[in-house]
Amino acid sequence: MSPPSSEPHVVEDIRGLVQLMSDGTVRRSADPASFPLVDADDADGDGDDGSGVEWKDVTWSREHDLNARLYRPRHLGAANDARIPVVAYLHGGGAGGGFFCLGSGRCPGPHGWCLRLAAELPAVVLSFDYRLAPEHRLPAAQEDGAEAMAWLGAHAAHDPWLADAADFARVFVAGASAGSNIAHHVVARFGKTGLGPPVRIRGSVLLTPAMAGAARTRAEAAAPDPNAALTTDMIDRYARLFLPPGATRDHPAINLSGPEAPTLGAVATPPLLVVAAGRDVLRDRHAQYAQRIKGEWGKEVEYAELAGVGHGFSEADDPWTPRADELVRLVRRFVVAHMDAE
């Protein structure tokens, strides 16, 4: 009789892209086709694909080897005195959510969405990467979000590529899925002015934010939609990979308005735009979050639910669909309404 194998085996598997092994190691797919990136070499010159937007990549955290992709409309430069708002953006994990375990701002979905934001708001967009689970469990991603904003403040006046076009007194913090969860934590920590001059946060845009909770909502408890990009079972699987050991789904890093979440009543938070998706299993949780932020904590919240789309649709789908057009109009209205408000 042969002895039992001591080889590590797969404990958790995310579509073959990320595997947690029994010895605690993590295997990530090395196949570029499984998670493609848009490189600066794919564009003409220093990043202009004909969209009227130029971009460049920088390393914002050498300690953790984290990159940011910076976008600005090409027609704005040093000769133009009219500086435009800044969007600090945090990506999601693509189709299926990828809750804190997958993704990069250089993936086609967030890249295409940031191109649209830069061109059509218009805005200077800084798209930040952050550490991923399970190698780095929460709150690592939220800590990176806070450090990214500090990096933004430190570089605001010193990088001509940014300073020539960007008005850092009109900053909006935005994200999709896991990225909008991080954006929530950023505004909860810094409020409007906690980063200090020249940075002032005027608003936050949360697109289908990644959330969970120990108690199921009606949508989470219902039979899963066979065509859904994200299901309750998938959320549970991700939670086993991103939560700290021993934590439940009510951990305040993921249940943003749950029983363990700190109150925001004393924080001078900027206005929030919360966008839910009609086919997202998290839609009830998004509505509850907006209701508590507004009703119990007295914050300014605009809530919208778009029909016919699922979780993370702004990054997972074609960025030029009619629903994406509607979302761009919604975000632009919000930015214009609040970029000069006190």
Side-chain angles (χ1 to χ4, degrees), residues 1-182:
M1 183 175 181
S2 59
S5 172
S6 60
E7 290 294 314
H9 60 274
V10 176
V11 177
E12 298 286 353
D13 187 341
I14 303 176
R15 307 195 303 274
L17 299 174
V18 179
Q19 293 178 326
L20 178 63
M21 309 304 291
S22 57
D23 62 356
T25 59
V26 177
R27 295 178 181 175
R28 289 186 178 269
S29 172
D31 179 8
S34 66
F35 221 81
L37 301 178
V38 178
D39 293 325
D41 293 341
D42 295 338
D44 298 327
D46 58 354
D48 182 1
D49 60 353
S51 65
V53 174
E54 57 186 348
W55 72 85
K56 69 174 184 176
D57 293 335
V58 300
T59 299
W60 77 263
S61 172
R62 297 195 180 279
E63 178 184 1
H64 301 302
D65 191 25
L66 295 172
N67 297 319
R69 178 160 287 180
L70 316 182
Y71 303 80
R72 67 179 185 182
R74 179 169 284 277
H75 68 276
L76 294 174
N80 192 325
D81 292 332
R83 294 179 181 175
I84 57 177
V86 174
V87 175
Y89 186 79
L90 297 138
H91 65 83
F99 275 37
F100 302 101
C101 297
L102 298 169
S104 165
R106 293 174 291 161
C107 290
H111 176 71
W113 176 241
C114 287
L115 283 175
R116 289 207 68 175
L117 291 179
E120 298 180 44
L121 291 183
V124 172
V125 179
L126 299 89
S127 177
F128 293 101
D129 281 354
Y130 49 87
R131 286 173 290 170
L132 300 176
E135 297 95 327
H136 306 282
R137 292 174 179 263
L138 300 185
Q142 287 96 352
E143 291 169 353
D144 289 343
E147 290 297 321
M149 295 302 295
W151 181 93
L152 180 153
H155 285 74
H158 305 295
D159 184 342
W161 202 92
L162 294 173
D164 288 347
D167 184 349
F168 286 93
R170 297 189 292 176
V171 173
F172 290 80
V173 184
S177 189
S180 54
N181 172 295
I182 298 170

Side-chain angles (χ1 to χ4, degrees), residues 238-254:
Y238 287 129
R240 293 193 293 269
L241 294 173
F242 66 66
L243 283 174
T248 73
R249 295 190 304 272
D250 277 338
H251 191 286
I254 191 64

